[in-house]
């Protein structure tokens, strides 16, 4: 029998892996986001394992779109931990002496991207062994908000809601009444473990302070709600007030639009009138040209007058022209000498 086993070992039919063994069982570990995950990997050696010790941790991402990648390695008494960028600086061996049989690691500040299957490989020739650990990263419930959806009035229907901002499924809910009798209404008992409680035909007895606790496998969170059921308000008065206020607002807007339109029309009319006046009215004549025209007309009149009445006319007409209308002192017009025929006698009659 010993010879047969020796023959099988030499032929490689039976591997040397049985000489080195990892004592940690395969398992699944659940941790919350942000926490530290401890991944155990303890091994034992046999006297036949005489080669150098090599330890290797690999990850198989949960999305199955990436091949197995090395995240940390121990070889030749040195540690290499810069293989996987997503875990760089967050993965470490827990033991300072890996030869003692402890190849466990810590993964700090867990993220959702760290979810996957981790594999621990230990090799010390001729012995080789490996074990797999599944890591699940969950998110604790947080940012939970409690509120009333509906009108908190007697006789009305509304809902009490409890909603966490984040948290990995499955989530469990628990409602409690903290004030008064601390006894929940009987009609609510069937919904005490749900995120929503439907309230029908509310009464003032429902008023009080309530708490909602949300839990999952890695943590819990809580919120408080103050419920105050009051008599119904005068909805008809509120509606009438809203209608009146709307009508007054519409009237005010109409008056503003009317005033603006009227003002624009007045400004437009003033501009048009001013423009028409400037185009239709001719520019006034200068006083000098008026005086010269007046003198010229008098010249034409004087030329047709006889010397007998010229003296009285010239005094009267020239006195009618104001002295301030002339740029310089006016001068008396020079008249040509009158021609007179000498009288003569013919047949005893004197002819002029």
């Amino acid at each position: 029998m010993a010879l047969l086993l020796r023959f099988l070992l030499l032929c490689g039919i039976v591997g040397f892996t049985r000489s080195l063994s990892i004592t940690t069982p395969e398992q699944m570990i659940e941790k919350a986001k942000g926490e530290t995950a401890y991944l155990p990997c303890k091994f034992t050696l046999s006297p036949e394992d005489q080669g150098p010790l090599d330890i290797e941790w690999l990850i198989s991402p949960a999305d199955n779109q990436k091949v197995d990648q090395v995240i940390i390695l121990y070889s030749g008494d040195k540690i290499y931990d810069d293989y996987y960028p997503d875990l760089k600086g967050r993965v470490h061996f827990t033991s300072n002496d890996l030869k003692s049989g402890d190849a466990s690691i810590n993964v700090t500040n867990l993220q959702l991207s760290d979810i996957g299957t981790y594999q621990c490989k230990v090799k010390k020739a001729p012995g080789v062994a490996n074990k797999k650990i599944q890591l699940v990263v969950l998110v604790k419930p947080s940012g939970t908000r409690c509120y009333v959806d509906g009108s908190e009035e007697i006789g009305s229907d509304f809902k009490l809601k409890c909603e966490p901002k984040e948290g990995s499924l499955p989530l469990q809910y628990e409602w409690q009444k903290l004030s008064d009798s601390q006894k929940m209404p009987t009609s609510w008992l069937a919904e005490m473990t749900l995120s929503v409680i439907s309230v029908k035909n509310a009464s003032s007895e429902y008023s009080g302070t309530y708490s909602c606790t949300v839990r999952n496998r890695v943590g819990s969170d809580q919120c408080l709600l103050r419920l105050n059921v009051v008599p119904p308000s005068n909805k008809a008065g509120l509606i009438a007030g809203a209608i009146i206020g709307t009508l007054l607002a519409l009237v005010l807007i109409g008056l503003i639009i009317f005033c603006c339109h009227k003002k624009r029309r007045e400004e437009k009319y003033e501009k048009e009138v001013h423009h028409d006046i400037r185009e239709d009215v001719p520019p006034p004549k200068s006083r000098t040209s008026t005086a010269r025209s007046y003198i010229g007309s008098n010249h034409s009149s004087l030329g047709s007058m006889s010397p007998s009445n010229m003296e009285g006319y010239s005094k009267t007409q020239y006195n009618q022209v104001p002295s301030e209308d002339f740029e310089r002192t006016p001068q008396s017009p020079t008249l040509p000498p009158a021609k007179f025929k000498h009288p003569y006698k013919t047949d005893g009659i004197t002819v002029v």
Side-chain angles (χ1 to χ4, degrees):
M1 185 69 181
L3 292 175
L4 179 60
L5 180 60
R6 184 181 179 87
F7 175 76
L8 292 175
L9 291 173
L10 291 174
C11 294
I13 298 175
V14 177
F16 291 100
T17 56
R18 297 192 180 187
S19 59
L20 187 154
S21 64
I22 296 177
T23 59
T24 303
E26 293 187 354
Q27 56 187 295
M28 183 181 70
I29 298 176
E30 290 183 345
K31 284 291 181 178
K33 178 184 176 182
E35 294 183 348
T36 296
Y38 169 70
L39 307 183
C41 182
K42 294 184 179 181
F43 60 93
T44 59
L45 300 173
S46 68
E48 290 119 359
D49 302 325
Q50 298 296 324
L53 178 63
D54 291 331
I55 301 173
E56 185 180 55
W57 277 90
L58 301 94
I59 182 175
S60 300
D63 56 10
N64 295 323
Q65 295 180 357
K66 298 179 181 179
V67 298
D68 294 354
Q69 298 190 40
V70 177
I71 60 174
I72 192 169
L73 173 67
Y74 173 81
S75 179
D77 295 331
K78 291 184 179 181
I79 298 174
Y80 305 91
D81 59 358
D82 57 351
Y83 288 98
Y84 192 58
D86 290 348
L87 284 173
K88 186 175 181 180
R90 295 194 293 120
V91 58
H92 313 280
F93 284 109
T94 59
S95 176
N96 294 327
D97 184 12
L98 299 179
K99 295 179 180 179
S100 65
D102 188 359
S104 305
I105 61 172
N106 280 334
V107 180
T108 61
N109 190 23
L110 287 173
Q111 303 298 317
L112 296 179
S113 59
D114 299 337
I115 297 174
T117 301
Y118 292 75
Q119 183 177 182
C120 174
K121 286 185 176 182
V122 181
K123 178 181 179 182
K124 188 173 177 63
V128 176
N130 68 80
K131 280 291 171 67
K132 293 182 179 180
I133 298 176
Q134 186 177 358
L135 176 62
V136 178
V137 180
L138 301 176
V139 179
K140 293 180 180 180
S142 63
T144 306
R145 173 173 170 254
C146 295
Y147 64 97
V148 179
D149 183 8
S151 176
E152 302 176 45
E153 296 181 351
I154 295 176
S156 63
D157 299 341
F158 54 82
K159 294 179 180 181
L160 307 182
K161 292 189 176 183
C162 179
E163 296 179 352
K165 185 177 181 181
E166 60 179 2
S168 298
L169 300 176
L171 296 173
Q172 297 176 351
Y173 298 86
E174 182 182 0
W175 286 90
Q176 289 182 341
K177 188 175 183 180
L178 304 179
S179 60
D180 300 335
S181 63
Q182 297 186 354
K183 184 178 179 180
M184 297 289 288
T186 306
S187 59
W188 297 7
L189 296 179
E191 300 177 332
M192 293 295 295
T193 58
L194 301 178
S195 61
V196 178
I197 295 179
S198 298
V199 180
K200 304 292 184 180
N201 192 21
S203 67
S204 58
E205 297 177 355
Y206 295 169
S207 298
T209 301
Y210 296 83
S211 71
C212 174
T213 303
V214 188
R215 294 187 178 91
N216 63 7
R217 293 195 297 267
V218 293
S220 63
D221 193 28
Q222 187 181 69
C223 63
L224 299 178
L225 182 149
R226 176 62 186 174
L227 179 63
N228 187 23
V229 182
V230 297
S233 58
N234 187 4
K235 295 183 178 180
L238 293 176
I239 295 174
I243 294 175
I244 294 174
T246 303
L247 292 176
L248 290 176
L250 292 175
V251 171
L252 180 61
I253 293 173
L255 288 175
I256 294 174
I257 295 175
F258 175 77
C259 293
C260 293
H261 183 66
K262 182 179 179 181
K263 184 176 181 181
R264 289 180 181 176
R265 290 185 62 184
E266 291 176 353
E267 291 177 352
K268 184 177 179 181
Y269 177 76
E270 291 178 357
K271 290 181 180 180
E272 291 178 352
V273 171
H274 181 68
H275 182 70
D276 292 342
I277 292 174
R278 294 187 64 181
E279 286 185 351
D280 297 341
V281 178
K285 295 181 179 180
S286 62
R287 294 181 175 181
T288 305
S289 59
T290 304
R292 290 176 178 173
S293 300
Y294 181 79
I295 294 172
S297 61
N298 287 338
H299 272 291
S300 59
S301 300
L302 291 173
S304 59
M305 295 183 67
S306 61
S308 60
N309 56 4
M310 185 177 298
E311 181 179 359
Y313 176 82
S314 61
K315 291 181 180 180
T316 304
Q317 295 296 326
Y318 279 98
N319 288 336
Q320 294 178 359
V321 181
S323 60
E324 63 268 18
D325 288 345
F326 294 92
E327 296 179 357
R328 52 190 177 182
T329 306
Q331 298 178 358
S332 300
T334 305
L335 299 177
K339 296 180 180 181
F340 298 98
K341 294 182 179 181
H342 296 282
Y344 61 93
K345 291 181 180 180
T346 176
D347 294 332
I349 298 172
T350 301
V351 180
V352 179

